[in-house]
Amino acid sequence: MSLILGPAVLAAALLSVAGAQKLLDPTMTVGALRALRLPSSPMLVRVGSAAELAVGVGAVTLGGPVLWALVGASYLAFSLVVAAALRSGQMLGSCGCFGREETPPHRMHVGLNLAFAAASGLAAVAGRSTVDELPAAILERVGIASLLVVGVVLSYACYVELPRLFAAAATVRELDFAGLNQAGHPHQRPR
């Protein structure tokens, strides 16, 4: 599989997982959309999620310019929604992409979404077909599938665990700074 197609397939696989999660339980997505004052009915979320799932699976299994463009457009739309959530200053919960996992919007989400949009866009422009680039040998296909699973798990960690880690580190810094100032830290200004 080419360097252009690999990241695009990962983006499509992650889109499929997120679409399936929201299709099964649209509650978190409905809440996030409602908080942003966007259309947010459970039926609308399920229809959109089914489309994500279909586009993602289609891109992973077939590819081609149209499917890659749709994957890229999905990630671009996600970037805009997350950026709007960050700009709103409202405390939003999870988008529902990873089920009920608490994943409030973070700048990292915007960056990852833009990276996946770019990867899919490159695959669309290059006209890459997943079917044409899959190796014929079963063992090689199993290897690619295994790498894809690892990629999805690592992407999950980047979307969920890294923002949590950053938030925890910021909290520790704030607590440490507040504790040092209360204890009469030498850098504290006299009043």
Side-chain angles (χ1 to χ4, degrees):
M1 194 163 289
S2 72
L3 288 176
I4 290 176
L5 194 56
V9 169
L10 175 58
L14 196 60
L15 182 68
S16 301
V17 169
Q21 288 287 343
K22 292 182 283 190
L23 184 61
L24 293 172
D25 183 5
T27 309
M28 302 297 277
T29 308
V30 168
L33 291 173
R34 196 168 284 149
L36 291 170
R37 295 190 174 121
L38 294 171
S40 59
S41 75
M43 181 56 77
L44 180 65
V45 170
R46 280 200 162 105
V47 168
S49 300
E52 286 176 25
L53 179 59
V55 167
V57 168
V60 167
T61 57
L62 302 172
V66 172
L67 286 169
W68 292 127
L70 290 172
V71 171
S74 297
Y75 278 101
L76 191 56
F78 300 153
S79 298
L80 294 174
V81 170
V82 174
L86 290 170
R87 284 194 67 163
S88 76
Q90 288 184 355
M91 195 60 198
L92 295 179
S94 176
C95 63
C97 292
F98 299 105
R100 293 201 167 263
E101 193 72 48
E102 190 59 32
T103 55
H106 190 273
R107 291 182 315 248
M108 179 165 286
H109 298 150
V110 176
L112 289 168
N113 288 338
L114 289 173
F116 283 139
S120 303
L122 284 173
V125 169
R128 297 299 181 147
S129 167
T130 312
V131 174
D132 293 341
E133 291 201 24
L134 276 178
I138 296 295
L139 192 56
E140 288 176 337
R141 287 184 180 199
V142 169
I144 288 172
S146 299
L147 287 174
L148 192 56
V149 169
V150 168
V152 168
V153 169
L154 290 174
S155 297
Y156 165 85
C158 289
Y159 275 102
V160 176
E161 300 302 335
L162 278 178
R164 283 183 185 163
L165 180 65
F166 294 148
T171 301
V172 167
R173 278 192 306 271
E174 289 172 14
L175 291 174
D176 188 39
F177 182 73
L180 287 175
N181 279 339
Q182 289 175 359
H185 189 272
H187 293 103
Q188 183 178 9
R189 292 183 195 169
R191 293 181 188 193

